[in-house]
Amino acid sequence: MSATLILKPGKERPLLRRHPWIFAGGIARVSGKPAPGDTVRIESADGRFLGWAAFSPASSIRARLWSVDEAAQIDEAWIGQRIAAAIGRRAALARDSDALRLIFGEGDGLPGLVVDRYGDQLVMQLMATGVERWRDAIAAALREATGLADLYERSDASAREREGLALREGTVSGRTPGSALPVSEHGVKYLVDVPAGHKTGFYIDQRDNRLAVARHAAGRSVLNCFCYTGGFTLAALAGGAASAVSIDSSGPALVRAAEQQTLNGLQAARCEWREADVFESLKQMVASGQRFDLIVLDPPKFAPSLHHVDKAARAYKEINLKAMRLLNPGGLLFTFSCSGAIDVDLFQKIVAGAVFDCGADLQMLRRLQAGEDHPMLMTHPEGEYLKGLLLARL
Ligand code: SAH
């Protein structure tokens, strides 16, 4: 018999709208003694069945929805089917890159699970007790659905601590990936550091936006802020950029960036990898009257939670305002936020605030987002963490 979480009156509404998180504050009582990761039955205050979910006693997200089908049996076979279905949906997307997100958590009905593929290497990240409970079944299903043997685990995200889970990292099966796994995206080669790189090694989510930068880069002078290992810079150089200044505070990331530039044989009249603080550099460049034709702002997550939104908003506004001042007429700004706590509308308002202060006319050419391998469940807007705008200075 599974344990049951009985919700407070009215707290069934988000679940009825298929929002997949059940918060601790909405639970009236727990009947039974579920262990972390156990499948629990969710009932409304008046005893109606609402769904099956994974129990997470340490987290404020106390349970994550598996299914609203009362007949569903959450077991190895069920997990395997969800995994195979998610991977099946990616088949058409594998054309332009060897780096693909195969499973994106809630967006694929597998809360807390991220799986990326780099060539023949799989990398999984388990960030909730539910997927932790089914770890072996997930690993087996991934190998089965892809036919690949090399599986590495990067369950070292801080989200695990909120779930009461220890961090874990290492080879699950097959060969151990090195720190320079070659992948190719839209004709550009990248070296992915699976064990130690950001996320699972690479910002797969920016694939479409790197392509957009490449398409606009011909003949332009480019400034790439928070460049990490240079993804946007390499795309711009491949697209024919005339020059590129790329700034990051991480020396090792810049070493890898330069290595990738050499690997691709990409040249520009001027290409500088600058180890510096972006806030300081922007200030200096504005003061010295520098100008660029294309600027990318892709900073780290300034707002890790709702508590940080005000401070983050000021930081986003500051860098956007400075970047606008550095743009030549006709120049393009690709500006991003990956803070889940700042939604698309708020980000646009912040950037619009910078436009007002700048006093120049800027057009929005389009909104930018993660690629189709990062689907968002329509009932779970929190899944839309990466948002961006492409602006043109008149
Ligand atoms: N745009 C990158 C990903 C950015 S990750 C890509 O497309 O791959 C965020 C990066 O910002 C990290 O590499 C980190 O070293 C850098 N960073 C964080 N704060 C910084 C600061 N104040 N100045 C410069 N770089 C910073």
Side-chain angles (χ1 to χ4, degrees), residues 24-346:
I27 298 169
R29 64 191 176 85
V30 182
S31 137
K33 287 202 162 41
D38 277 358
T39 301
V40 290
R41 186 184 165 88
I42 312 292
E43 285 184 3
S44 61
D46 59 4
R48 263 186 307 159
F49 170 84
L50 296 171
W52 299 108
F55 184 56
S56 186
S59 172
S60 60
I61 304 175
R62 192 53 51 90
R64 290 169 195 252
L65 185 68
W66 286 128
S67 174
V68 293
D69 174 7
E70 191 164 7
Q73 276 249 328
I74 312 303
D75 55 13
E76 275 93 349
W78 188 92
I79 296 278
Q81 277 166 15
R82 281 250 157 132
I83 286 179
I87 291 173
R89 287 191 287 270
R90 301 313 198 268
L93 299 175
R95 291 179 306 265
D96 308 320
S97 178
D98 314 329
L100 195 64
R101 177 144 297 187
L102 296 182
I103 297 176
F104 186 44
E106 278 76 355
D108 281 306
L110 290 159
L113 178 64
V114 159
V115 180
D116 290 335
R117 175 177 181 162
Y118 298 109
D120 289 342
Q121 176 71 53
L122 297 169
V123 188
M124 70 175 185
Q125 206 164 41
L126 311 176
M127 285 173 293
T129 53
V131 284
E132 176 78 7
R133 158 75 179 75
W134 296 103
R135 181 172 180 266
D136 293 344
I138 289 167
L142 287 173
R143 287 185 293 258
E144 165 90 22
T146 60
L148 301 175
D150 298 340
L151 174 59
Y152 194 82
E153 181 169 6
R154 279 291 304 269
S155 297
D156 56 352
S158 58
R160 269 178 81 90
E161 287 160 358
R162 289 196 292 277
E163 292 277 312
L165 297 168
L167 305 186
R168 189 195 305 111
E169 196 203 320
T171 301
V172 179
S173 60
R175 289 169 297 177
T176 297
S179 59
L181 196 76
V183 300
S184 167
E185 175 192 282
H186 294 126
V188 178
K189 287 174 249 162
Y190 296 91
L191 300 171
V192 176
D193 186 346
V194 169
H198 288 188
K199 297 196 172 210
T200 65
F202 189 54
Y203 286 89
I204 298 180
D205 51 0
Q206 292 283 25
R207 180 197 311 115
D208 295 358
N209 303 322
R210 281 187 286 270
L211 184 62
V213 165
R215 287 188 170 150
H216 283 101
R220 292 189 188 255
S221 57
V222 172
L223 170 65
N224 181 10
C225 296
F226 309 97
C227 69
Y228 185 47
T229 53
F232 283 111
T233 308
L234 297 177
L237 293 173
S243 67
V245 175
S246 310
I247 306 176
D248 201 281
S249 53
S250 160
L254 296 170
V255 168
R256 173 51 56 87
E259 198 183 334
Q260 296 184 127
Q261 186 194 351
T262 307
L263 175 72
N264 284 285
L266 290 168
Q267 308 289 339
R270 184 168 154 248
C271 187
E272 183 194 348
W273 301 104
R274 187 185 298 171
E275 184 177 343
D277 177 71
V278 165
F279 290 86
E280 276 306 309
S281 296
L282 288 173
K283 215 181 289 173
Q284 285 161 13
M285 289 187 290
V286 169
S288 64
Q290 287 197 47
R291 292 288 179 271
F292 296 91
D293 303 320
L294 189 161
I295 300 179
V296 179
L297 289 179
D298 180 28
K301 204 192 286 179
F302 286 157
S305 79
L306 282 171
H307 304 297
H308 302 84
V309 166
D310 287 348
K311 193 160 171 247
R314 284 194 293 276
Y316 283 119
K317 185 173 171 191
E318 179 183 339
I319 58 172
N320 278 280
L321 174 58
K322 298 252 166 44
M324 289 166 194
R325 293 201 160 128
L326 290 173
L327 273 182
N328 277 321
L332 299 175
L333 173 61
F334 289 78
T335 181
F336 297 95
S337 162
C338 62
S339 300
I342 291 188
D343 66 19
V344 177
D345 289 346
L346 177 55

